[in-house]
Amino acid sequence: MAKRKPLISGNWKMNHTHLDAIAVVQKLAYTLSQADYERADVSVHPAFTALRSVQTLLDADSIPIALGAQDVHPAESGAFTGEVSPPMLAKLNVSYVIVGHSERRQLFGETDEQVNQKLLAVLKHEMSPICCVGETLEEREAGETEAKVLGQLQADLKGVSKEALARVVIAYEPIWAIGTGRNASPEDAQAVCKAIRTALAERFGAELAAGVRAQYGGSVTPANIGDLMAQEDVDGALVGGASLDPEKFAQIVRWR
Ligand code: PGA
């Protein structure tokens, strides 16, 4: 079995000005210790407006928190008003880029094809995509969870090479659990993360699939992280609401 280092990611969504972001990272860095960073990789995903400020702070104080972005445009540059390109993020030392978050898919109409283009662009620029997949409540109740998630996985990872796969992170985020206070049971999270790994094994081979990190996301809190992390195929969490507060996020990073 490949040893996977867990990844705990804070997706701040459209919250925190660059000044708030600096204060949050300072508190986080003050709370977390070397032992925490050895146990898990930690990333924060501020809004685009705060990336430069957070990068400067992380660099200046040698804080081992990875910088992440919440989205990206697949093109290198061009006439795409309002968009941000992969080279722009790479130059800011961004390590992880969320692609295909359900809010992007639902509120901004992103398709699997677009998610796939973004994911490939992130890989091309030597960053790691965190590719979000997940079912709606209707799909879950109709027993279509695996079909939906594995369908997204296959479409979103189209054209990914075996070499690049090691950099891909999958976030299983049931849409009904996001921001609702209603999280998937640890057993449900495990079942879907395992199904994801099995599908990856069929396509890329068991050895490579065993090295891919699968996060769970959706109403993760300090109270439920321990049971989620106890699951064999759950390799971390993508945390929204609870990541805005540095104390809560630090408790999640230090799960027991
Ligand atoms: P939540 O968001 O933790 O607030 O449910 C998770 C996410 O959207 O990644």
Side-chain angles (χ1 to χ4, degrees), residues 68 76 124:
E76 305 270 316
K124 185 177 168 203

Side-chain angles (χ1 to χ4, degrees), residues 47-175:
F48 287 136
T49 50
L51 282 176
R52 174 63 173 154
S53 311
V54 172
Q55 181 227 347
T56 306
L57 171 62
L58 296 176
D59 281 1
D61 293 358
S62 303
I63 300 167
I65 293 174
L67 187 58
Q70 300 175 14
D71 190 22
V72 69
H73 190 280
E76 305 270 316
S77 64
F80 301 104
T81 301
E83 294 293 313
V84 169
S85 75
M88 292 172 183
L89 297 180
K91 272 277 183 244
L92 285 169
N93 295 340
V94 164
S95 306
Y96 298 96
V97 184
I98 297 170
V99 297
H101 190 279
S102 64
E103 285 152 18
R104 303 272 349 144
R105 294 180 192 259
Q106 291 199 312
L107 304 174
F108 303 97
E110 260 182 39
T111 63
D112 277 322
E113 203 175 18
Q114 287 170 316
V115 175
N116 174 243
Q117 292 303 309
K118 291 180 180 199
L119 183 140
L120 293 175
V122 169
L123 288 172
K124 185 177 168 203
H125 289 272
E126 309 289 329
M127 299 178 287
S128 288
I130 297 179
C131 180
C132 302
V133 293
E135 81 287 3
T136 64
L137 190 55
E138 297 71 55
E139 288 161 342
R140 169 158 289 260
E141 283 169 351
E144 293 165 2
T145 299
E146 274 197 21
K148 170 74 179 296
V149 166
L150 300 184
Q152 286 179 322
L153 188 75
Q154 188 176 341
D156 298 347
L157 265 56
K158 200 172 158 206
V160 170
S161 68
K162 286 193 168 188
E163 295 68 41
L165 182 72
R167 265 189 289 128
V168 174
V169 178
I170 307 297
Y172 167 53
E173 297 210 305
I175 295 168

Side-chain angles (χ1 to χ4, degrees), residues 11-17 45-47 49 70 103 108 244:
N11 172 14
W12 294 351
K13 310 189 179 182
M14 199 172 72
N15 296 287
H16 292 329
T17 65
H45 300 248
T49 50
Q70 300 175 14
E103 285 152 18
F108 303 97
L244 296 175

